[in-house]
Amino acid sequence: MPSPFIQTLILTGKLAIYTTSILLVIGLPLSYFMAYARFRFKPVLEALVSMPLVLPPSVIGYYILVAYSPNFWFGKLLSEWFDVQLAFTFEGILLASVVFSIPFMVQPLTNGLRAVPVNLREASYTLGKSKTTTFFRVLIPNIKPSLITAIALTFAHCIGEFGIILMVGGNMPGETRVASIAIYDEVQALNFDAANQYALTLFLTSFVILTLIYTVNRKSDAWKMI
């Protein structure tokens, strides 16, 4: 049985990996749509995707809790049809994390796709390639820095989430107690050594991730100047 410290770090990493993986699957097609689609209500979609950047976590957490409630159609559907209760569970904080982290995945990908020269897509279509083939064989290789940035930012954001996790999941060891919650809990209990362990781990992890992002982007900029 791992120690509470290791158990909390494992849960934090698990949440970040699952959230990033889910958002990568969702974010790629959504970013493609946002980058190239033209329709009247596109600003509304862009605003909805960006809302987690400006809304307090407590606001989003509150509405997610309402959605999880058996009195709401979503929570009622899960409870009656699947016997699933999402509030104060790992699955519940995972879904909340996906909702709250979506702009960190989608915005870098969308910006990267918009920066790809139009003639590359047109040349691919001229050669008879489908949109799917063009996306995976032409566009994705040309937005590798944006892809790495999106993945790294989403992961780094996930390991530092606090407000929305606390509201939706509470502080349940082994289930919803991630490192950011543990820091708050240890400080409240005046266990500053334990709090420092969690804080230092998150600091170093975030530092490594940001260094990776800047290194990749610097190499990409250097390649473009050649």
Side-chain angles (χ1 to χ4, degrees):
M1 185 70 180
S3 66
F5 176 75
I6 298 299
Q7 188 180 45
T8 299
L9 292 184
I10 291 175
L11 185 65
T12 304
K14 181 180 174 183
L15 177 65
I17 291 171
Y18 284 10
T19 300
T20 304
S21 300
I22 292 171
L23 280 177
L24 184 61
V25 174
I26 297 173
L28 284 172
L30 179 58
S31 300
Y32 180 88
F33 182 75
M34 290 180 61
Y36 301 127
R38 295 182 180 179
F39 59 100
R40 181 180 299 178
F41 299 105
K42 186 176 180 180
V44 176
L45 175 61
E46 293 174 329
L48 286 174
V49 170
S50 301
M51 284 293 279
L53 293 175
V54 296
L55 275 180
S58 56
V59 174
I60 299 178
Y62 167 74
Y63 283 116
I64 290 177
L65 271 181
V66 170
Y68 288 172
S69 169
N71 296 324
F72 191 76
W73 69 265
F74 180 69
K76 185 176 181 180
L77 177 68
L78 292 177
S79 178
E80 294 182 355
W81 287 75
F82 303 101
D83 193 27
V84 172
Q85 173 67 38
L86 289 179
F88 306 105
T89 65
F90 177 79
E91 291 76 16
I93 64 172
L94 175 59
L95 180 56
S97 180
V98 168
V99 172
F100 194 57
S101 300
I102 193 167
F104 295 92
M105 177 65 73
V106 171
Q107 288 197 352
L109 292 177
T110 302
N111 293 335
L113 288 169
R114 286 173 176 166
V116 176
V118 177
N119 61 342
L120 288 180
R121 285 190 295 136
E122 293 178 344
S124 179
Y125 298 150
T126 302
L127 293 173
K129 304 300 181 182
S130 66
K131 288 185 176 181
T132 302
T133 301
T134 300
F135 180 70
F136 286 103
R137 300 293 296 273
V138 177
L139 297 179
I140 294 298
N142 280 281
I143 63 165
K144 284 183 179 179
S146 297
L147 183 61
I148 293 174
T149 298
I151 293 173
L153 282 178
T154 302
F155 186 89
H157 178 256
C158 288
I159 64 174
E161 286 180 5
F162 175 77
I164 197 166
I165 302 297
L166 186 61
M167 285 202 67
V168 176
N171 184 11
M172 302 171 63
E175 185 70 24
T176 63
R177 189 177 192 255
V178 296
S180 57
I181 303 295
I183 294 173
Y184 176 80
D185 197 35
E186 298 295 353
V187 170
Q188 290 293 101
L190 303 181
N191 296 327
F192 297 115
D193 288 339
N196 181 62
Q197 283 185 304
Y198 287 114
L200 183 60
T201 301
L202 293 187
F203 173 83
L204 292 176
T205 302
S206 299
F207 178 77
V208 170
I209 291 173
L210 289 175
T211 301
L212 172 65
I213 293 174
Y214 286 119
T215 300
V216 170
N217 288 339
R218 182 180 180 183
K219 288 183 178 180
S220 175
D221 292 340
W223 179 81
K224 290 178 181 178
M225 294 176 63
I226 297 177

